[in-house]
């Protein structure tokens, strides 16, 4: 019948915050989350505006495996 059933034990969270973040503080925060909750995190992904960088910081994680890198530059008219 094509109906999709969701596991009620799985939740999601979205964080939207305008402006730039400090890369060191971001790495500390993500590291703490992965150390303490990594086994419970199915997937994490996002695009972040890092202070003093014109490029997007793109990241993804599955459980405790994290990968992040600077990518394309932000557009002049994009909200950071």
């Amino acid at each position: 019948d094509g109906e999709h059933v969701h596991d009620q034990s799985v939740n999601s969270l979205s964080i939207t915050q305008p402006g730039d973040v400090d890369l060191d503080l971001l790495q500390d925060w993500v590291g703490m989350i992965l150390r303490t909750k990594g086994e419970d995190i199915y997937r994490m992904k996002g695009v972040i505006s890092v202070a003093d960088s014109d490029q997007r910081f793109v990241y993804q994680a599955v459980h405790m495996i994290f990968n992040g890198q600077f990518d394309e530059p932000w557009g002049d008219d994009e909200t950071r």
Side-chain angles (χ1 to χ4, degrees):
D1 67 2
E3 187 173 325
H4 185 79
V5 178
H6 290 276
D7 182 339
Q8 295 300 313
S9 68
V10 176
N11 296 301
S12 66
L13 169 70
S14 175
I15 300 172
T16 303
Q17 179 66 39
D20 297 337
V21 298
D22 180 280
L23 184 58
D24 291 332
L25 294 175
L26 173 66
Q27 289 175 325
D28 290 346
W29 181 71
V30 170
M32 184 269 307
I33 289 173
L34 294 177
R35 281 190 306 278
T36 60
K37 298 292 184 183
E39 292 180 14
D40 298 328
I41 296 173
Y42 177 69
R43 180 171 43 176
M44 178 172 34
K45 62 182 180 174
V47 178
I48 297 176
S49 178
V50 173
D52 301 319
S53 176
D54 292 331
Q55 294 175 291
R56 296 173 171 100
F57 185 78
V58 179
Y59 72 92
Q60 61 181 343
V62 176
H63 296 294
M64 292 181 234
I65 300 170
F66 180 89
N67 182 355
Q69 62 188 20
F70 286 97
D71 199 46
E72 297 178 16
W74 291 93
D76 291 336
D77 59 343
E78 285 185 283
T79 302
R80 295 176 67 164

